[in-house]
């Protein structure tokens, strides 16, 4: 998640702040990446570089940045027209300084929330890759590997503890992280009012 948050923030910031051709090229590239099914691209990348924890992390990081880039771009497009950015330009601040010191701090809250939700998605993606045999390799434990071992009908019927535990833990982990992300969104959104 940190890989694709970094890529997304970098590309989204450049596209949103500089606009014009930079925005056009970055957003067209983002749309091309988004046009392909994520799981198919992940399977292809992991099949080329080989399975493993590090390779799975790199593959997920190289594919998941598109949503963050679009989010950051949208936020920056609205923030760059605000009065404090105009004032910084008027006093002669450099473009990079305005972006880093004035614009990006106002985008941190949506990035944190999106990254939190991204962790839940990364857990599901890694479990799926491991289930298919393209993620973490045994003997390193993974919930996807554990569910993969319970594919036979006799195991599913007679030994539910083999697949039920990992399945429940995936579900509980993703739900917990989503609740954290939802709470962060409520806490960090300045438009939320307490009634």
């Amino acid at each position: 998640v940190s890989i694709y948050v970094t890529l997304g923030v970098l590309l989204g910031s450049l596209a949103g702040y500089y606009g014009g051709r930079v925005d056009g090229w970055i957003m067209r590239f983002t749309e091309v990446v988004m046009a392909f099914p994520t799981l198919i691209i992940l399977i292809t990348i992991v099949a080329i570089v080989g399975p493993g924890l590090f390779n799975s992390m790199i593959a997920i990081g190289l594919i998941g940045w598109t949503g963050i880039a679009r989010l950051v771009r949208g936020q920056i497009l609205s923030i760059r027209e605000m009065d404090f950015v105009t004032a910084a330009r008027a006093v002669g601040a450099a473009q990079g300084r305005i972006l880093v010191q004035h614009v990006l701090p106002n985008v941190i809250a949506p990035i944190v929330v999106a990254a939190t939700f991204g962790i839940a998605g990364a857990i599901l993606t890694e479990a799926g890759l491991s289930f298919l045999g393209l993620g973490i390799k045994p003997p390193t434990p993974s919930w996807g590997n554990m569910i993969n071992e319970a594919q036979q009908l006799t195991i599913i019927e007679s030994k539910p503890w083999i697949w039920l535990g990992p399945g429940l833990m995936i579900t509980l982990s993703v739900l917990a992280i989503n609740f954290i992300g939802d709470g962060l969104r409520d806490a960090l959104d300045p438009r939320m009012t307490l009634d």
Side-chain angles (χ1 to χ4, degrees):
V1 173
S2 62
I3 294 169
Y4 77 67
V5 166
T6 303
L7 284 172
V9 168
L10 177 67
L11 293 173
S13 298
L14 292 174
Y17 190 73
Y18 291 107
R21 288 183 180 221
V22 173
D23 182 30
W25 283 103
I26 291 174
M27 286 299 108
R28 294 311 73 78
F29 179 66
T30 302
E31 290 166 1
V32 166
V33 172
M34 291 177 75
F36 293 101
T38 304
L39 188 59
I40 302 298
I41 295 175
L42 285 172
I43 290 172
T44 304
I45 291 172
V46 172
I48 290 170
V49 298
L53 176 62
F54 184 72
N55 292 341
S56 296
M57 288 172 27
I58 295 295
I60 292 169
L62 290 177
I63 297 302
W65 60 269
T66 55
I68 300 284
R70 289 173 58 111
L71 172 74
V72 170
R73 175 188 175 265
Q75 293 288 319
I76 288 180
L77 282 174
S78 65
I79 292 172
R80 76 176 185 177
E81 302 301 326
M82 292 186 171
D83 290 339
F84 67 91
V85 176
T86 306
R89 281 191 198 116
V91 297
Q95 296 291 335
R97 181 179 175 145
I98 294 172
L99 179 62
V100 172
Q101 290 186 349
H102 299 289
V103 177
L104 279 179
N106 291 296
V107 185
I108 288 178
I111 293 171
V112 169
V113 173
T116 305
F117 288 129
I119 292 171
I123 289 172
L124 287 173
T125 304
E126 186 281 321
L129 286 174
S130 293
F131 176 78
L132 294 173
L134 296 170
I136 299 172
K137 284 298 192 188
T140 305
S142 166
W143 289 327
N145 288 339
M146 293 176 193
I147 294 174
N148 184 19
E149 293 174 7
Q151 286 188 31
Q152 299 170 352
L153 185 59
T154 56
I155 292 176
I156 292 173
E157 290 176 347
S158 62
K159 300 176 182 174
W161 58 86
I162 292 178
W163 58 268
L164 191 60
L168 276 173
M169 292 312 299
I170 291 171
T171 304
L172 291 175
S173 297
V174 169
L175 276 174
I177 291 170
N178 281 336
F179 286 144
I180 291 169
D182 194 34
L184 282 172
R185 185 184 64 213
D186 292 344
L188 297 175
D189 190 356
R191 293 176 297 239
M192 296 294 290
T193 59
L194 297 174
D195 292 333

